Amino acid sequence: MVPAALLLLVFLTYPLGLGVWLGFTDTKIGRGGEFIGLENYAFLFGDSVARLSLFNTLFYTIVASILKFVLGLWLALLLNKHLPFKSFFRAVILLPWIVPTALSAIAFWWIYDSQFSVISWVLTRLGLIDEYVNFLGDPWAARFSTIAANVWRGIPFVAISLLAGLQTISPSLYEAAAIDGATPWQQFRSITLPMLTPIIAVVMTFSVLFTFTDFQLIYVLTRGGPLNATHLMATLSFQRAIPGGALGEGAALAISMVPFLLAAILFSYFGLQRRAWQQGGTDR
């Protein structure tokens, strides 16, 4: 256990502790700081850009997580059926997850380009629009465009994880329900969802954590623009700390993300508690 403990200490515990300390100082790049208490947090509370980044992060996380869950569950149910070339489709669906995030972001940057967008080209050829859409130039269009890119990358993780959970459900449960006259929707609501609840809790916790802390996709696609409309807390923290030089302020912004991440972990904990209840476990 010692080597693993040392790795966690060096690469997790120490950076986290240093970040907490820097959040209480006015440290700048190239200059040591002094302890200033909660001044950084008070400044961020009154900073309109920081508040906008919080809204962007919550909106981005909630919408993307819901879409990934719905589409991922639909794909998992589809792939769990007896389909031709099922193994091939299961392998193909992993491609968006396997491709490096930076490469995916560059591909989407080209897809969303205001002059060479393939989406706009197709829509104009179909006569649905008269001019190319500026996907990354309008604040709300940019928000939904980045969400679409995140959903495309995240669906495989949700789908494959839920597919693994579906395959642990005994077919005899569905056979008994069918004999009793249950419709497919009733089987899904009374068997599939309850049995998948613990898996859903864990999978969606990781999905929320990955989405809430997303950095690469946003930084490559928009760098927080236009007009800070796509700045997440992670990207704004980096901008304030590294290019901006205000390490203390950037660290405080990063540490402000911790309560939201803890809330997601608690969601997973209650999901696991439900699994223990379903398996006949008791709290000790």
Side-chain angles (χ1 to χ4, degrees):
M1 296 292 290
V2 173
L6 289 176
L7 287 174
L8 289 175
L9 182 65
V10 173
F11 295 106
L12 182 62
T13 307
Y14 172 73
L16 179 61
L18 181 61
V20 172
W21 166 251
L22 288 174
F24 293 109
T25 69
D26 59 353
T27 305
K28 307 250 183 221
I29 291 181
R31 178 180 68 81
E34 297 180 356
F35 182 81
I36 57 173
L38 297 175
E39 288 186 21
N40 283 326
Y41 295 95
F43 171 76
L44 292 173
F45 182 78
D47 183 14
S48 60
V49 178
R51 292 200 304 269
L52 179 60
S53 73
L54 174 60
F55 167 77
N56 292 337
T57 304
L58 293 176
F59 181 79
Y60 180 80
T61 301
I62 292 171
V63 175
S65 297
I66 291 174
L67 290 175
K68 282 186 283 190
F69 169 69
V70 173
L71 295 175
L73 179 59
W74 173 72
L75 275 177
L77 292 171
L78 189 63
L79 293 174
N80 196 43
K81 296 180 179 180
H82 298 290
L83 300 174
F85 308 107
K86 183 166 58 176
S87 299
F88 171 76
F89 289 121
R90 288 179 181 177
V92 169
I93 201 175
L94 280 174
L95 288 178
W97 180 257
I98 296 172
V99 175
T101 305
L103 294 181
S104 300
I106 292 173
F108 274 99
W109 178 76
W110 174 74
I111 291 173
Y112 293 145
D113 188 85
S114 59
Q115 295 181 346
F116 306 104
S117 169
V118 64
I119 298 177
S120 296
W121 182 83
V122 171
L123 293 177
T124 53
R125 293 301 181 275
L126 293 175
L128 299 177
I129 59 175
D130 297 326
E131 58 183 12
Y132 277 27
V133 180
N134 191 6
F135 289 100
L136 301 180
D138 176 77
W140 278 104
R143 287 188 179 104
F144 286 110
S145 296
T146 54
I147 287 173
N150 180 273
V151 169
W152 180 82
R153 275 194 52 78
I155 283 178
F157 170 74
V158 177
I160 296 300
S161 300
L162 294 182
L163 176 61
L166 285 172
Q167 293 181 338
T168 64
I169 301 176
S170 175
S172 61
L173 296 175
Y174 295 103
E175 294 172 0
I179 292 174
D180 290 338
T183 63
W185 167 248
Q186 290 173 326
Q187 294 178 28
F188 173 77
R189 187 182 61 186
S190 302
I191 299 175
T192 305
L193 274 184
M195 298 296 291
L196 272 185
T197 297
I199 304 297
I200 292 172
V202 176
V203 170
M204 292 312 298
T205 297
F206 280 105
S207 178
V208 168
L209 293 177
F210 294 152
T211 307
F212 195 89
T213 58
D214 197 2
F215 173 82
Q216 297 181 63
L217 187 65
I218 299 297
Y219 192 75
V220 175
L221 263 180
T222 65
R223 307 242 171 168
L227 303 175
N228 300 312
T230 59
H231 250 319
L232 306 184
M233 295 178 74
T235 56
L236 184 61
S237 172
F238 171 80
Q239 185 188 68
R240 296 280 176 90
I242 307 304
L247 288 175
E249 185 181 329
L253 188 57
I255 296 302
S256 299
M257 300 167 61
V258 172
F260 299 97
L261 301 178
L262 289 177
I265 293 173
L266 288 176
F267 175 78
S268 174
Y269 170 77
F270 288 117
L272 292 174
Q273 288 296 101
R274 175 161 184 171
R275 180 170 66 178
W277 172 78
Q278 286 178 337
Q279 294 176 346
T282 56
D283 294 335
R284 291 180 175 86

